Amino acid sequence: MTTKIMGILNVTPDSFSDGGEHATVEAALSHAQAMLDEGADIIDVGGESTRPGADRVEQAEEAARVLPVVRELAARGVAVSIDTMSARTAESAVDAGAAMINDVSGGLADEGMASVAAATDVPFIAMHWRGHSTDMNSLAVYSSVRADVRHELLARVDALLAAGVSSRRIILDPGLGFAKNAGHNWELVGHLDELITLGFPLLVGASRKRFLADVLPEGATVRDRDPATAAVSSLAAAAGAWGVRVHDVRGTRTALAVHEAVRGARG
């Protein structure tokens, strides 16, 4: 299995590493094409920042940001994922051509999301989540982060199945950086195989997240985290992850190509 690369397209003014850079439709489409040229398999379009401390965005504003971009990319034949916690935005995006829903709350933020996922019958990415960005840091308390994340993801699976979502459509995400400290994140990265054994495709999103600064020199910028992101992506591929979600597609494609070459050499 070749691990898929999901390129991050934030059409927001306040995302932590690229806020405002792709806030117009033209800039967003240009960046999406650049990521496709570099090897992205999926473009993940989001209109609400989920960085720690970020405020919520009104649904109408979120939809106004993402729908023109989703519609144009889908018309070009691009595989588009809609990154949203809003059931209404997700439904509108699928109507506009999105082929996948990526909900960082796993359906917890909007009680209507599971029904939308079931009705649209597109792949649904359910991330491990404990609360909104304004509260996530206080929620990083675990008896065992590996066991608790497994248990809470399976609880989301049960809820999605009960709502009518097909098991074949569910993809899980451990939620690196969400209600987790650096130690929690590294432990999850080191044991991704335990999440693979849950039996669902796994998406890993470490891109440019704060815990990666642990392995960088003091004063490194957010973008200096890209090589560390590529290393985590390679580890995720080695563990059997279905996909990785990244800002730096070119570096990730190179890292995954090394992984594939080594795997092929092993036979």
Side-chain angles (χ1 to χ4, degrees):
M1 179 191 75
T2 301
T3 300
K4 296 186 181 300
I5 296 178
M6 178 180 282
I8 298 169
L9 182 56
N10 291 318
V11 288
T12 60
D14 58 346
S15 291
F16 76 97
S17 75
D18 57 0
E21 292 184 15
H22 316 121
T24 67
V25 173
E26 293 76 14
L29 294 174
S30 176
H31 186 57
Q33 187 59 55
M35 289 192 290
L36 292 165
D37 292 343
E38 292 170 351
D41 301 294
I42 303 162
I43 301 297
D44 191 43
V45 181
E48 178 178 10
S49 174
T50 53
R51 63 179 172 78
D55 293 325
R56 297 301 311 279
V57 173
E58 292 292 331
Q59 187 275 327
E61 173 63 23
E62 179 192 32
R65 292 174 180 178
V66 300
L67 292 182
V69 178
V70 170
R71 189 173 292 111
E72 180 59 32
L73 288 174
R76 297 180 185 183
V78 176
V80 178
S81 169
I82 178 63
D83 174 9
T84 183
M85 291 182 281
S86 163
R88 188 173 175 186
T89 298
E91 185 173 33
S92 296
V94 173
D95 287 344
M100 184 177 300
I101 299 168
N102 180 16
D103 182 355
V104 299
S105 81
L108 286 168
D110 186 333
E111 63 182 11
M113 183 63 87
S115 296
V116 168
T120 56
D121 196 34
V122 297
F124 181 78
I125 302 168
M127 195 191 80
H128 176 264
W129 185 85
R130 285 185 163 184
H132 289 290
S133 298
T134 51
D135 306 314
M136 70 167 69
N137 289 336
S138 65
L139 300 173
V141 179
Y142 300 87
S143 57
S144 164
V145 69
R146 287 149 57 190
D148 290 354
V149 168
R150 281 174 57 93
H151 174 75
E152 290 168 32
L153 282 175
L154 287 175
R156 296 313 309 145
V157 169
D158 288 343
L160 292 168
L161 294 176
V165 179
S166 168
S167 62
R168 298 179 294 102
R169 296 299 196 184
I170 297 173
I171 299 167
L172 300 180
D173 180 336
L176 298 177
F178 287 78
K180 298 169 187 73
N181 62 33
H184 296 144
N185 292 315
W186 287 119
E187 185 170 352
L188 289 169
V189 169
H191 295 87
L192 291 173
D193 56 314
E194 296 181 5
L195 297 175
I196 298 290
T197 62
L198 295 177
F200 295 90
L202 189 72
L203 176 69
V204 177
S207 193
R208 297 181 179 173
K209 291 187 176 174
R210 188 180 305 172
F211 76 98
L212 297 175
D214 284 1
V215 300
L216 299 176
E218 186 175 352
T221 68
V222 170
R223 292 180 189 239
D224 288 336
R225 300 171 189 173
D226 283 343
T229 300
V232 172
S233 295
S234 185
L235 291 170
W242 165 84
V244 291
R245 182 179 181 274
V246 300
H247 296 85
D248 174 27
V249 172
R250 185 187 300 275
T252 300
R253 176 57 69 195
T254 299
L256 295 188
V258 171
H259 163 70
E260 290 295 328
V262 171
R263 187 175 69 171
R266 288 173 175 168

